[in-house]
């Protein structure tokens, strides 16, 4: 760009004078200067290219959903609900609720086909007070939900790589795992920042690795259970007692569902980057619903495979290394302890790549809307056609979540805060969908969600927001059960004060990139 070109971040285009001359006003000094038609032609808003098609979009959805959950949480869910049969039922229930949520988000995404996800939906559904709920969501997502989830998956990636190197699932230095996690976050940021097309291809390749790994689990489970006489006999003996020991306490199911919903989360990934999706009205529902449904089938069948090969006690004692124990039983310890952890590590690496992609888009859109300071940088598109500053901010926050918490319970505590906040805004967004059906009948709805799907999603969100405040049957650890939800609500309340400063006092929306762009138009 030439030195005298007009940049929307620096100038405001004025009305032509009486002689037909165009002027641009410097936003900092207030001075004006004459501009030419060629200068005006260069003063176009920076936009990200539509690089994503149906399959690359579906790869992002699948890649965001399939993370560490399916490989590590089955033992925790079995501990919570008490029986193998109920564990599978909980995974099926989680799939059904997630599909209902996905259907609701498809109506929102095709009705308001703009990047930002809940930022756009809450802003449109609840216009008063101006941008309040949208602002609260953005701050919760940017500073808690996304970095905590990315930090967890980055550290899990490091855990499995160390597992592969040592052959031991435990007993490693936690700081070695964290340092590998930091390296994972930085590498993913650099890939998305400087090699955009290459990063999309790597995401798709890692998604293929995840799907193949789950297909292998399902295939091995069925083959070993049916082909080996001893395994078939053991399975037939366990089937009549599949529901023996099932828990009847509500807190057990809230704990299990939190973990299952965590494993299914990610089906909204494309809603945050819809401006980069080609033909979004057609491709968004197909990519999101297709990716979620296929993943749900693999999740349920993988759990069935775990229980076909391993008895419940073996799964419980495996802690978070269920997949490793599964493959050790099927192929021997060399494969289960050295080879499989590498592929699980690659699977969670792909999850970090997809999560970093979506998280940076929320920062990018929030900055352009005026919700964040330094919008000139955080809302800019680099010469590599990436939101480089937004990616850098997401990386810094993720690294802080990796290295700052002390060892032990504090780490899981931060994850719980992020999970609670997500469900709060899921429920508000789908409730807003119902509000918009009455207040904004003028909006075109290419995809209409069933009322039953909306009701299930809102009911699930209420359940997930209320039950954490109910005292569990037994309480372990130093952090009380109510600490995570209380902290999440407190953060949202504090964000309300920041909304008053940024939006009301500093007039962030009026001075934002989007407002300047609108003036130009």
């Amino acid at each position: 760009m030439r030195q005298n070109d007009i940049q929307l971040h620096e100038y405001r285009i004025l009305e032509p004078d009486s002689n037909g001359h165009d002027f641009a006003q410097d936003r900092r000094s207030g001075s004006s200067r004459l501009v030419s038609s060629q200068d005006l032609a260069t003063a176009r808003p920076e936009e990200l290219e539509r690089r994503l098609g149906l399959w690359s979009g579906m790869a992002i959805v699948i890649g965001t959903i399939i993370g560490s959950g399916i490989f590590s949480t089955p033992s925790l869910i079995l501990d919570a609900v008490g029986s193998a049969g109920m564990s599978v039922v909980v995974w099926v229930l989680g799939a059904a609720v997630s599909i209902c949520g996905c259907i609701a988000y498809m109506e929102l995404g095709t009705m308001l086909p703009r990047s930002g996800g809940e930022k756009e939906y809450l802003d449109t559904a609840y216009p008063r007070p101006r941008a309040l709920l949208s602002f609260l969501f953005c701050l919760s997502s940017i500073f808690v939900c996304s970095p905590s989830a990315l930090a967890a998956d980055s550290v899990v990636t490091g855990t499995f790589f160390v597992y592969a190197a040592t052959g031991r699932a435990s007993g490693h230095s936690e700081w070695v795992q964290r340092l590998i996690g930091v390296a994972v976050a930085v590498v993913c940021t650099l890939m998305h920042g400087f090699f955009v097309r290459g990063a999309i291809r790597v995401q798709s390749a890692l998604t293929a690795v995840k799907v193949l790994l789950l297909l292998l689990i399902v295939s091995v489970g069925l083959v070993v259970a049916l082909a080996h006489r001893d395994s078939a006999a053991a399975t037939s003996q366990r089937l009549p007692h599949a529901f023996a020991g099932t828990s009847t306490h509500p807190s057990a199911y809230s704990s299990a569902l939190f973990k299952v919903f965590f494993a299914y989360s990610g089906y909204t990934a494309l809603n945050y980057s819809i401006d980069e999706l080609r033909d979004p009205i057609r491709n968004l529902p197909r990519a999101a619903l297709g990716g979620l449904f296929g993943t749900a089938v693999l999740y349920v069948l993988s759990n069935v495979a775990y229980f076909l090969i391993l008895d419940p006690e073996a799964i419980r004692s495996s802690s978070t290394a269920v997949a490793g124990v599964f493959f050790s039983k099927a192929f021997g310890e060399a494969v289960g302890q050295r080879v499989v952890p590498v592929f699980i590590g690659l699977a969670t690496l792909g999850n970090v790549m997809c999560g970093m992609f979506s998280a940076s888009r929320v920062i990018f859109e929030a900055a352009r809307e005026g919700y964040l300071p330094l919008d000139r940088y955080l809302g800019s598109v680099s010469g590599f056609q990436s939101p480089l500053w937004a990616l850098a901010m997401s990386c810094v926050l993720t690294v802080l979540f990796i290295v700052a918490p002390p060892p032990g319970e504090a780490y899981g505590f931060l994850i719980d805060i992020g999970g609670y906040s997500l469900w709060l805004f899921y429920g508000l967004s789908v409730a807003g969908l119902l509000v918009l059906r009455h207040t904004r009948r003028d909006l075109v709805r290419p995809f209409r969600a069933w009322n039953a799907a909306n009701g299930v999603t809102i009911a699930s969100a209420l359940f997930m927001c209320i039950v954490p405040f109910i005292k569990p049957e037994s309480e372990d650890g130093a952090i009380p059960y109510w600490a995570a939800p209380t902290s999440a609500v407190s953060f949202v309340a504090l964000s309300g004060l920041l909304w008053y400063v940024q939006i009301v006092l500093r007039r962030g929306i009026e001075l934002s990139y989007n407002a300047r762009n609108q003036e130009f138009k």
Side-chain angles (χ1 to χ4, degrees):
M1 183 174 285
R2 303 188 321 275
Q3 183 68 29
N4 65 338
D5 281 347
I6 302 302
Q7 299 182 43
L8 289 180
H9 287 295
E10 299 177 359
Y11 291 94
R12 180 167 64 92
I13 309 302
L14 303 176
E15 293 293 329
D17 65 7
S18 58
N19 297 319
H21 296 139
D22 292 303
F23 284 84
Q25 183 182 54
D26 190 313
R27 294 181 179 278
R28 294 193 181 92
S29 66
S31 62
S32 302
R33 69 181 179 86
L34 186 69
V35 295
S36 67
S37 58
Q38 185 176 3
D39 290 328
L40 288 174
T42 64
R44 296 298 180 219
E46 301 168 317
E47 302 294 344
L48 295 168
E49 293 181 6
R50 292 189 182 273
R51 299 177 183 270
L52 302 174
L54 172 61
W55 295 110
S56 53
M58 189 179 293
I60 286 178
V61 173
I62 296 174
T64 306
I65 296 174
I66 303 177
S68 58
I70 186 60
F71 305 113
S72 58
T73 59
S75 61
L76 305 178
I77 293 165
L78 176 61
D79 266 339
V81 300
S83 69
M86 187 52 67
S87 294
V88 175
V89 169
V90 167
W91 281 95
V92 173
L93 179 61
V97 171
S98 298
I99 289 172
C100 288
C102 188
I103 290 171
Y105 266 71
M106 292 311 96
E107 177 172 341
L108 288 165
T110 53
M111 178 175 62
L112 300 168
R114 299 187 294 271
S115 291
E118 289 89 345
K119 168 192 163 294
E120 295 294 332
Y121 314 147
L122 295 169
D123 196 23
T124 306
Y126 309 101
R128 294 288 181 272
R130 187 181 186 185
L132 174 60
L133 288 180
S134 177
F135 184 91
L136 298 181
F137 160 75
C138 286
L139 259 64
S140 294
S141 176
I142 292 168
F143 292 101
V144 180
C145 303
S146 293
S148 63
L150 287 169
D153 281 325
S154 297
V155 173
V156 168
T157 303
T159 301
F160 277 104
F161 284 157
V162 173
Y163 183 9
T166 63
R168 292 182 288 109
S170 59
H172 320 120
S173 168
E174 185 171 335
W175 280 106
V176 172
Q177 299 169 19
R178 292 196 190 198
L179 288 175
I180 295 175
V182 170
V184 166
V186 171
V187 168
C188 290
T189 301
L190 294 176
M191 286 289 294
H192 281 306
F194 298 101
F195 309 98
V196 180
R197 293 188 184 277
I200 292 174
R201 294 191 186 99
V202 170
Q203 281 183 179
S204 299
L206 291 175
T207 299
V209 170
K210 299 179 187 190
V211 173
L212 290 174
L213 189 58
L214 290 180
L215 287 173
L216 182 60
I217 290 173
V218 174
S219 302
V220 168
L222 293 175
V223 169
V224 173
L226 297 177
H228 291 261
R229 185 176 302 174
D230 293 342
S231 296
T235 300
S236 62
Q237 290 176 359
R238 289 198 295 265
L239 282 176
H241 309 287
F243 289 88
T246 298
S247 174
T248 57
H249 199 279
S251 65
Y253 293 93
S254 68
S255 174
L257 285 171
F258 254 113
K259 295 174 178 64
V260 169
F261 288 143
F262 173 76
Y264 281 114
S265 64
Y267 56 81
T268 62
L270 278 184
N271 293 68
Y272 301 119
S273 53
I274 198 169
D275 286 342
E276 298 168 70
L277 181 66
R278 293 191 295 270
D279 192 4
I281 304 302
R282 180 170 177 264
N283 285 333
L284 178 64
R286 296 169 68 193
L289 285 170
L292 175 59
F293 184 78
T295 304
V297 171
L298 289 175
Y299 273 11
V300 173
L301 292 178
S302 294
N303 275 275
V304 172
Y306 288 147
F307 288 111
L308 286 176
I309 300 298
L310 303 172
D311 61 73
E313 288 308 314
I315 292 176
R316 284 192 179 94
S317 62
S318 69
S319 184
T320 57
V322 180
V325 174
F326 173 86
F327 281 108
S328 294
K329 178 73 176 291
F331 295 119
E333 291 188 356
V335 173
Q337 296 177 0
R338 298 287 187 176
V339 179
V340 173
V342 173
F343 287 99
I344 298 176
L346 290 174
T348 54
L349 172 62
N351 196 253
V352 176
M353 284 201 72
C354 294
M356 193 71 73
F357 179 90
S358 298
S360 66
R361 270 53 181 181
V362 175
I363 296 173
F364 178 78
E365 293 297 331
R368 289 195 160 195
E369 196 65 38
Y371 296 175
L372 300 174
L374 302 175
D375 65 316
R376 178 181 178 185
Y377 301 101
L378 295 174
S380 66
V381 179
S382 72
F384 299 94
Q385 268 297 302
S386 67
L388 193 56
W389 285 95
L391 281 162
M393 180 176 176
S394 181
C395 180
V396 169
L397 291 170
T398 300
V399 170
L400 285 175
F401 269 75
I402 292 174
V403 302
E409 293 181 64
Y411 199 81
F413 172 70
L414 292 173
I415 306 301
D416 290 341
I417 294 175
Y420 185 91
S421 301
L422 276 179
W423 274 104
L424 177 63
F425 290 108
Y426 278 164
L428 287 172
S429 295
V430 179
L433 169 62
L434 301 181
V435 171
L436 288 172
R437 288 184 177 180
H438 295 282
T439 60
R440 294 294 305 274
R441 298 177 187 272
D442 59 305
L443 292 173
V444 178
R445 294 170 171 81
F447 184 100
R448 193 174 180 89
W450 307 320
N451 287 329
N454 298 329
V456 167
T457 305
I458 294 171
S460 300
L462 285 172
F463 176 82
M464 300 303 287
C465 289
I466 293 172
V467 170
F469 286 101
I470 300 174
K471 186 175 182 179
E473 191 173 15
S474 60
E475 189 176 359
D476 299 321
I479 300 177
Y481 67 93
W482 46 263
T486 302
S487 299
V489 172
S490 301
F491 181 86
V492 172
L494 176 62
S495 299
L497 297 176
L498 298 176
W499 166 83
Y500 185 78
V501 173
Q502 179 68 13
I503 304 302
V504 179
L505 297 182
R506 299 188 61 191
R507 300 174 60 240
I509 294 177
E510 289 86 346
L511 301 176
S512 68
Y513 177 95
N514 286 346
R516 300 196 292 267
N517 183 18
Q518 195 64 35
E519 283 180 13
F520 173 75
K521 292 178 179 178

